[in-house]
Amino acid sequence: LLGNRHEFVVTLFAIARLGAIAVPISIREQAPGVAYMLAHCGASVVVHEPDLGHLLPLEEEAQALRFRIAIGSYEGSECYDAWMDASTPTPVVDVQEEDTAVILYTSGTTGRPKGAMLTHLGIVHSSMHYKIAMGLSDKDCSIAAVPLSHVTGLVASITTLILSAGKLVIMPNFKAVDFLHLAELECMTHTLMVPAMYNLCLLQTSFEELDLSKWRIGGFGGAPMPIATIDNLTRIVPSLTLMNCYGSTETTSPSTLMPRGHAKTHTDSVGIALACVEMRVMDDLGYEVPHGDLGEIWIKGPMVVPGYWENSTANAENFTAGFWHSGDIGAIDESGYVKVVDRKKDMINRGGYKIYTIEVENVLYAHPAVQECAVVSKPCAVLGERVHAFVMLKEQSVAEAELAEFCRSRLSDYKVPESFTLSTTGLPRNANGKLVKRDLRDQLNRSLVV
């Protein structure tokens, strides 16, 4: 239960050295979630931030827990520094490459979170692909601005930079202005963030004034990158190559990567499948569809987790013959470029017409007044669902009718949002920076009831 700090890295590798399993938990998790995860995985030790000690469970709630260690001072927990100074020799352990190295609990949309079991092989496989695809070496400097407890921070930042023998600069919290100044100070060459973080950087007046000429790789994932954002970033930082990365906790981060230099010519793609990765697009009956047709993306390979910890029901529902069902709707063209158009659960069915929300959102992002947006379904007794857009505006104001007309000139009529929620505040995101559409749908449904 640690934030972004060097002790996180030390603890991660200490656990691996012992042949034990690390279970990073987000510092934004609340007490019930912490108690569930510690009890479910049978944790025997917890290392925690001193100001988060109050989140730890009672003894009866996590009966396997034997040691509580605080980074600093916390009543009832032992001191981290004392453990660091201990002279007990480390035992030599026999660890197999397909043994579980890390359990990451996914932020499930329903029910309890599921503990994805990342293997030693999967972590090494993913780190090698990031290193090779991005051309990383001991000359590179990366800033970890995403939570280290997330698969991106853990694999794309920590293990990849250590494999590359590069320098990893850890930000405790992401603030765009601080990130940009730190990037200049440290001569940052590489980072991997979600698109919203790049958008926040573009809002900073200092962006164009700083010397970021060493910045050559900008990885992104977790959400589509608006075309307008790509254009602005490449204009301000000509040395920057943007690389889309598509993956998840269950794929130990990447399953596809955009080849360097292809982002501008394949703006609708998340890249091509990595070596050793098998991807198929399947229909609702479990049959593979032809190239270019839409369906659910299934993924198989050495980086795909073998399953969820102590959860046979979820394993049966989410895995078939080694393939993990991603829940993403997409297509693969004849050249192997993968396109992801929506989450299966986010697709809108308006009177039989399927609407992929990402397409509508990309159009809205092109409007100069829109800072960020999210399109969700609105219940309708006649058509089943209609299109509703939540929009965070920049300083200038804009009317709903203007946004609707902007979309109408660029989209089929049935895809145009029929209602809007406009605001100047940010949209809800989880600890990893991903938009939480479930919260927006709940908010919309509550307003309809009222």
Side-chain angles (χ1 to χ4, degrees), residues 18 38 53 83 90 121 123 158 185 193 196 203 219 234 255 279 289 343 358 430 433 437:
L18 290 169
L38 291 177
W83 281 64
T90 304
L121 173 63
I123 292 171
I158 296 176
L185 177 67
M193 305 188 293
L203 290 176
T234 52
S255 49
M279 301 184 74
V289 304
R343 289 292 293 167
I358 290 173
N430 64 17
K437 287 192 174 182

Side-chain angles (χ1 to χ4, degrees), residues 83-106:
W83 281 64
M84 289 292 290
D85 293 337
S87 58
T88 305
T90 304
V92 177
V93 294
D94 181 20
V95 177
Q96 302 300 309
E97 64 179 15
E98 294 191 9
D99 287 348
T100 300
V102 175
I103 295 174
L104 288 180
Y105 280 89
T106 62

Side-chain angles (χ1 to χ4, degrees), residues 406-440:
F406 184 82
C407 292
R408 194 171 291 112
S409 65
R410 293 163 173 80
L411 292 168
S412 302
D413 56 357
Y414 64 89
K415 299 178 182 178
V416 175
E418 297 171 77
S419 55
F420 294 83
T421 298
L422 306 181
S423 71
T424 55
T425 58
L427 301 179
R429 296 182 180 276
N430 64 17
N432 307 321
K434 287 187 178 182
L435 199 65
V436 185
K437 287 192 174 182
R438 179 183 67 254
D439 289 355
L440 293 175

